[in-house]
Structures are given as structure tokens and as C-alpha cells.
Amino acid sequence: MTTFVDRVELHVAAGNGGHGCASVHREKFKPLGGPDGGNGGRGGDVILVVDQAITTLLDYHHSPHRKATNGQPGAGDNRSGKDGQDLVLNVPDGTVVLDKEGNVLADLVGQGTTFVAGQGGRGGLGNAALSSARRKAPGFALLGEPGEARDIVLELKTVADVALVGYPSAGKSSLISVLSAAKPKIADYPFTTLVPNLGVVTAGSTVYTIADVPGLIPGASQGRGLGLEFLRHVERCSVLVHVLDTATLESDRDPVTDLDIIEEELRQYGGLEDRPRIVVLNKVDIPDGQDLADMIRPDLEARGYQVFEVSAVARLGLKELSFALAGIVGEARASKPQEKATRIVIRPKAVDDAGFTVTYDEAEDVYRVRGEKPERWVRQTDFNNDEAVGYLADRLNRLGVEDQLMKAGARAGDGVAIGSLENAVVFDWEPTMMAGAEMLGRRGEDHRLEAPRPAAQRRRDREAERDDAQRAFDEFDPF
């Protein structure tokens, strides 16, 4: 059974905002009670929070779909809907959040670090909030926005000061078990360790963490063995420790060649060239192992490596090794720049910043409007209510969309699309749509929308021509 998972694909969906309520106060002897529809509640967010008590992404491997709760709709008598509850997902320290294309969204290091993976939708305004001196009794309310839904990838990169690398069965698990309180699985066959092991070592006044990387063999950086899956766990370490087996039973291997092969795999993986290296000659309690260590130690020291002879079984040389590692870790920590308090920088938008763009889409024969406010207003509009559509037109006009359409060359009856190509709302533009309450008819109606739609007819004719051409092409048989 899988007990360790360090990479998962997570499908998160924030909660939808609740719809606003369109209601009129009704009470005896109060014929003009006025609108009293409440606002909808906000949808819940999906939030990732670092919890150092968690060491694996196993829970999300079994349950990859996570959704926050929706906001409740508003009600009459000015009652606002309840906000949706945020969904908090605890992740291990060192989790990297990526999108589907592999772009890093967040690097979560440190207890309590948070990242909002999905933003909850805004609640819609009720007609009480939409009333004004010009529109005293709106017969509509705004819809709640849908919550953000997306697919993200979580990758765990172990936060350790020291990383043990080496061939399978070189004694990495045995070494970490005697240096710390970790209890990894130990056996006399290759690939005993299938997951990274993490331990805490105390050397004098220095406390540091040590981890081993399983499954490094020739070709690991290209996917052979288990190395490619776990090489990411050495990226955050301060020092690399090569554990070399001086008592290997394989006749075609020797410690120096093993070191060269592992170094080549680390070089191909990349990003670890600046890390200091230490060489540990393990299993010197065996007579042949001690003899081999005496032979190769001068060569390794000539290369510039600091060499330690140890035996995890006999517990030889462990104290010297642990204090040497503590010194290197201490130097690495001292060389890191001190973290400064985050400065809050406020960058207000320019006064003349419209916040939207108007471009002509020649392929679709429409003028496309893109911007946060116009697209949000479209999502919150109930297109089954004419008065709500008229209110949308008034808002767009006040924002300056009509002026920009004129500058772009749009004429009456041209098609205008608001939003992306997949989710755009298309309508025929009529200039000078700005109007007050006197332009409205009965509640929920707007006679400005009864005009003919020539642009829509042109689009239907163009689509019909395309269908006829495709049908003629499919029916054409040269033989």
C-alpha cells in the first residue's frame, strides 16, 4: 500500500457566491415599503496551509477533488446570505504549487505559510443595495459570481539541511538511523528504501535535519530507477554527503566510480553545483572495507573532498561526522541573508486607467471587450430580466465602454462580445444606451431591448453560409 506520495494533481473549486434577492417590503398600512432584498453571501476560499506535522501528500492522492462551500442567497427583510466556509488544506513544509503548464504559483516553506488556491465568488447585491434616487424600486438583483476552479500540481521538496546520496545498499538508511532517531527500513538488498527518510541530528548546540535520497543509479536523472522521483528532495539541502560502500559484493563496482556516476547524475539534474560535498566511506568495520578505504582516501582528498571513515553498524566515526556536518550547516545558515519584514506597498491605479480594452475580432466580426469589471458585471447579470440587462448597459456606459467602442470604429448594430472567446456574451450595440428610470416600463422590463438586432442576423446568415459550404464539401464525390 502506498504510504508516501510527494506529487499529486489536485482539482480545487472555490465556493460560488450567493444570489442577491429581489424583494419588496409588504406590510399593512405601508403600501410603499420599498425594496428590502438582501445580498448574497461570499463563497468560501480554498486555502493551502503549511503544517509541519504532515510529511506526505497521501490524503490528496486518494481524494484529489476538493470544493469549498457556497455562499447562501439573500432574503427579504434585508437579510443577507451566510458566507461560505473556507476550505483549509494542510500540506507539508516544502510544498511547491504549480499550474498545469509547470509554472510555479507558490513555494510554501515555514509553519503557517498560506496560499489561496481558489478564490471564492462574490455574493450578488440585493435590490435594496441597488436602489437609488433614479431607480427607487429595482425589480432585479445581481447574481453571485462562480467560484474559481482550476487544476494545480503539488510537489513536495523535503526541507533538510543535509542530503545523503549514493548507490542502493550503500548504507544511507543505516547511517541516518544511527545519527538520528529515525527508524527507516534496513535490509541487505537494493532499493530497500522506497521513500525519503528524514531525521533530526543534534551536534553540540546545533540541531539540523538529515535526509536520504533513495534509488540513485546510472540514468536516474533521465528516469531510471527511483532517482528522478526523489532528486527534487535534495534541492533545498545545504550540503551533499556521498555515502560510498567500501565493502560492496559487486565485482564490477568500486567507490570512486560510484562517486563519479552519482556526481554526473547530479550535474545532469542541475542546480546543485554550489553545494559543498563530503565523502563518507561506510562499512570500514569489515577488513576488506578498511583496506579499500585506505587505498582510495588519498585520491578523494586530492580531489578536494573532505573524507570520513565510518561504520553505521560498529558506530565508528559518527561523532566526527555529525560535528563536521553541523559546522557546514552553521556556516550555510549564517551566510543566508536575514529575512526582512515584508513591506506593504500600495500602488493605486492611475486616474485615467479605464481597466478594460476594446479590440476588433475580424474572424468573428465582433468588438471584444476585456476587463475585470465588465466581465464580472456580465457574470452577475440575470439575462432573463430585461431591467437587469438595462442596468448592465447603464453600468458599461458609465465605465466608458461606449466611448471606447466609438473610438474603435463600432457603429450601431455591430456585435460586441464581453469576455473570453469561450465564455463571451455577445449583443448588438446601440449607442447612447444611458437612460434613467423614466425609460423603464413595468418592473423587470426595459423597452430598449425590443429593438431589432441586425448584427445577430448577420452572424446567423454567416453561420448558415458556413454550414451550406461544409455540407456541399461533404457531399462532393469526384469519383
Side-chain angles (χ1 to χ4, degrees):
M1 179 181 294
T2 302
T3 58
F4 180 84
V5 175
D6 63 351
R7 190 180 191 277
V8 296
E9 182 175 334
L10 197 60
H11 312 278
V12 297
N16 300 328
H19 299 330
C21 175
S23 172
V24 176
H25 183 72
R26 301 179 186 278
E27 186 177 347
K28 191 175 182 180
F29 304 122
K30 289 186 179 180
L32 301 176
D36 66 348
N39 303 331
R42 179 189 62 86
D45 298 334
V46 179
I47 305 174
L48 305 180
V49 180
V50 172
D51 185 355
Q52 293 181 340
I54 299 176
T55 59
T56 177
L57 299 171
L58 183 63
D59 290 345
Y60 309 116
H61 173 72
H62 294 305
S63 302
H65 297 272
R66 302 299 178 104
K67 188 180 187 308
T69 57
N70 299 330
Q72 298 299 313
D77 200 16
N78 293 303
R79 291 174 294 175
S80 297
K82 182 180 179 182
D83 291 342
Q85 187 174 1
D86 294 339
L87 177 62
V88 178
L89 304 178
N90 294 324
V91 296
D93 191 8
T95 301
V96 180
V97 186
L98 307 99
D99 59 15
K100 293 286 289 184
E101 289 73 30
N103 301 315
V104 177
L105 303 177
D107 192 354
L108 305 180
V109 178
Q111 177 71 24
T113 304
T114 62
F115 171 70
V116 179
Q119 190 77 38
R122 299 187 184 187
L125 297 179
N127 65 343
L130 296 174
S131 62
S132 64
R134 298 172 55 195
R135 185 178 279 104
K136 297 183 179 298
F140 66 98
L142 298 185
L143 304 179
E145 277 192 284
E148 184 180 8
R150 62 177 172 177
D151 298 335
I152 58 176
V153 177
L154 302 183
E155 283 189 355
L156 175 59
K157 296 181 180 180
T158 302
V159 180
D161 299 302
V162 180
L164 305 180
V165 296
Y167 259 72
S169 296
K172 301 186 296 297
S173 298
S174 300
L175 190 59
I176 199 174
S177 67
V178 295
L179 287 174
S180 68
K183 302 298 180 184
K185 181 180 179 180
I186 301 173
D188 58 351
Y189 55 84
F191 296 106
T192 306
T193 304
L194 300 178
V195 300
N197 296 305
L198 191 66
V200 180
V201 182
T202 302
S205 60
T206 304
V207 179
Y208 59 92
T209 55
I210 184 170
D212 68 340
V213 181
L216 288 185
I217 61 174
S221 59
Q222 279 75 42
R224 292 191 61 193
L226 302 174
L228 183 62
E229 298 182 21
F230 300 121
L231 271 171
R232 69 172 70 96
H233 293 277
V234 304
E235 293 183 15
R236 303 185 192 274
C237 68
S238 301
V239 56
L240 291 173
V241 178
H242 285 281
V243 182
L244 303 182
D245 186 358
T246 61
T248 178
L249 300 178
E250 300 179 32
S251 59
D252 58 341
R253 283 179 50 200
D254 66 88
V256 178
T257 304
D258 291 353
L259 173 64
D260 294 337
I261 291 174
I262 297 301
E263 275 293 333
E264 177 62 20
E265 295 303 321
L266 295 175
R267 185 191 67 79
Q268 293 187 18
Y269 185 75
L272 302 171
E273 294 79 7
D274 59 336
R275 312 301 165 84
R277 264 80 161 165
I278 284 181
V279 174
V280 171
L281 301 178
N282 194 21
K283 304 181 183 179
V284 296
D285 58 313
I286 301 175
D288 292 342
Q290 182 63 62
D291 294 341
L292 184 57
D294 294 337
M295 292 174 56
I296 65 175
R297 179 165 186 161
D299 183 20
L300 295 174
E301 291 178 341
R303 295 188 183 188
Y305 291 110
Q306 190 176 2
V307 182
F308 293 86
E309 298 178 7
V310 304
S311 171
V313 175
R315 304 203 173 205
L316 300 175
L318 300 179
K319 184 176 181 181
E320 294 81 357
L321 175 61
S322 63
F323 275 88
L325 293 175
I328 298 176
V329 170
E331 293 177 0
R333 292 174 179 174
S335 63
K336 290 183 178 179
Q338 294 183 353
E339 295 185 0
K340 298 181 180 179
T342 303
R343 295 180 60 188
I344 300 177
V345 180
I346 300 177
R347 296 184 176 88
K349 293 184 178 180
V351 176
D352 58 349
D353 185 6
F356 66 91
T357 59
V358 176
T359 57
Y360 178 65
D361 188 344
E362 188 174 356
E364 298 294 331
D365 190 25
V366 295
Y367 289 86
R368 195 170 298 280
V369 179
R370 297 301 308 273
E372 179 185 355
K373 284 186 176 181
E375 294 182 30
R376 172 162 53 86
W377 292 345
V378 166
R379 290 193 298 267
Q380 291 186 311
T381 299
D382 180 9
F383 287 94
N384 294 320
N385 188 302
D386 291 350
E387 190 178 352
V389 177
Y391 177 69
L392 171 65
D394 295 343
R395 299 179 83 181
L396 294 175
N397 188 20
R398 288 194 298 269
L399 186 63
V401 173
E402 183 170 322
D403 294 338
Q404 294 299 321
L405 286 171
M406 289 183 177
K407 292 179 181 180
R411 296 175 298 176
D414 287 344
V416 175
I418 301 179
S420 61
L421 185 62
E422 299 80 11
N423 301 315
V425 173
V426 183
F427 60 94
D428 293 335
W429 179 52
E430 288 295 334
T432 63
M433 289 289 286
M434 184 68 178
E438 69 279 357
M439 294 288 295
L440 303 179
R442 295 178 299 177
R443 183 175 292 111
E445 296 181 355
D446 191 326
H447 66 79
R448 294 176 291 175
L449 304 178
E450 299 175 0
R453 305 180 60 193
Q457 185 60 44
R458 290 199 302 269
R459 287 193 296 272
R460 286 193 291 267
D461 295 341
R462 187 166 56 253
E463 292 174 0
E465 292 176 0
R466 293 176 185 173
D467 295 341
D468 293 341
Q470 184 65 37
R471 192 178 304 107
F473 177 79
D474 295 339
E475 295 175 355
F476 176 70
D477 187 1
F479 303 101

